[in-house]
């Protein structure tokens, strides 16, 4: 299910919006999981006191999102760490790998207003209900809110984090779609925005994984065995050719690209040709084959391409 990333400076209203979104999704019968500093028991003073501590805080949020993100729950990441666009990119990659939809909710609150709200939070002694997870309304289980004490940010940390804010842009691929919440928005406007967010999450189309990171593996273990056999056939043919008394540097071998037999040049009607420019040892061939299996094989979509790709890999390795 989708990932929601709330973004804004500290005390900008991210948690308030997250709870409204939580309620709206729960009304639609959707299971929701909310992640913020309180649910992870992170002290806001210590967690953002230095770049090193902040790095650990981001790691905790990323690990928790990766743990709970699944096809059956909407995850709302309500974190101050999301001011960093690099962290938002990492979260977006987790959603794309699933794959599922994601969006960014930006609370565009000025520093002066956030400072006022932060001071009010410091003077408010009333515990705030915290929803961490809910189940669809069709089940009899009802979530039990946990009472927490609102935790204000120290003013120096608030100002420091506000200066480092990298505003999400709808033109940035890993941020979009971006929904902006303003402090002067009326209740109706905010409600309409929440509805639009729910529609984008639940009715949107999941993005395709990046071509550079998508893993196209062989469909069955039988195909994996065939691919392994194809590369060994090439290695065996090269070893036999080099061991031949008539071998001279520059001789060529031809191979059937669909995994057939291999023979010396001039006797095979094949499509792949490999020029052996020098004598190569079995140890070197095994090393190159290992590199091919590790670097190239995971990205081949068909076992039919293995022998052709391995021959080209050998040729490029010897040419470099």
């Amino acid at each position: 299910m989708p990932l929601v990333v709330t973004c804004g400076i500290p005390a900008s209203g991210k948690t308030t919006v997250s709870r409204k979104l939580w309620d709206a999704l729960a009304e639609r019968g959707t299971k929701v999981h909310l992640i913020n500093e309180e649910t992870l028991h992170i002290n806001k003073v210590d967690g953002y006191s230095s770049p090193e501590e902040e790095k650990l805080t981001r790691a905790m949020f990323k690990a928790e999102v990766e743990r709970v993100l699944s096809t059956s729950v909407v995850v709302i990441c309500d974190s101050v760490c999301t001011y960093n666009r690099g962290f938002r990119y990492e979260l977006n990659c987790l959603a794309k790998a699933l794959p599922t939809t994601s969006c960014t909710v930006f609370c565009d609150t000025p520093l002066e207003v956030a400072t006022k709200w932060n001071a009010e939070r410091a003077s408010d002694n009333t515990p705030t209900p915290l929803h961490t997870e809910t189940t669809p309304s069709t089940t009899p289980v009802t979530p039990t809110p946990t009472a927490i004490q609102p935790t204000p940010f120290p003013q120096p940390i608030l100002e420091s984090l506000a200066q480092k804010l990298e505003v999400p842009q709808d033109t940035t691929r890993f941020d979009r779609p971006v929904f902006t919440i303003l402090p002067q928005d009326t209740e109706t406007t905010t409600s309409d925005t929440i509805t639009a967010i729910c529609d984008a999450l639940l009715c949107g189309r999941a993005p395709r994984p990046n071509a550079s990171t998508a893993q196209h593996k062989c469909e069955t273990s039988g195909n994996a065995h065939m691919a392994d056999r194809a590369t060994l056939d090439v290695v065996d043919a090269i070893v036999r050719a080099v061991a031949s008394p008539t071998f001279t540097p520059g001789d060529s071998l031809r191979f059937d690209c669909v995994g057939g037999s291999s023979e010396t040049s001039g006797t095979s009607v094949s499509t792949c040709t490999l020029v052996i420019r020098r004598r190569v040892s079995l140890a070197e061939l095994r090393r190159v084959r290992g590199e091919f299996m590790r670097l190239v094989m995971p990205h081949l979509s068909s076992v039919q391409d293995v022998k052709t790709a391995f021959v080209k890999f050998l040729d490029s390795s010897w040419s470099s």
Side-chain angles (χ1 to χ4, degrees), residues 198-213:
C198 295
D199 292 340
L201 291 173
L202 303 180
C203 304
R205 185 176 180 180
R208 295 176 58 185
N210 293 333
S212 60
T213 57

Side-chain angles (χ1 to χ4, degrees), residues 221-235:
S221 58
N223 281 346
H225 173 74
M226 292 173 59
D228 191 66
R229 185 68 260 171
T231 56
L232 288 176
D233 285 346
V234 175
V235 171

Side-chain angles (χ1 to χ4, degrees), residues 14 38 40 54 183 216 247:
K14 297 186 301 297
E38 284 76 21
L40 295 181
E54 190 177 327
H216 304 287
F247 170 78

Side-chain angles (χ1 to χ4, degrees), residues 132-144:
T132 58
E133 186 172 326
T134 181
T135 54
S137 56
T138 54
T139 62
V141 180
T142 302
T144 303

Side-chain angles (χ1 to χ4, degrees), residues 227-236 238 255 272 274 284-293 296-297 300 305-318:
D228 191 66
R229 185 68 260 171
T231 56
L232 288 176
D233 285 346
V234 175
V235 171
D236 291 342
I238 296 173
F255 300 93
C272 301
L274 176 65
E284 181 181 354
L285 290 172
R286 286 177 175 172
R287 177 182 59 79
V288 176
R289 177 177 175 271
E291 293 177 355
F292 172 81
M293 298 296 287
V296 181
M297 266 296 296
L300 294 179
D305 304 329
V306 173
K307 185 167 287 188
T308 303
F310 185 44
V311 170
K312 292 180 179 179
F313 188 81
L314 282 168
D315 188 63
S316 63
S317 298
W318 293 340

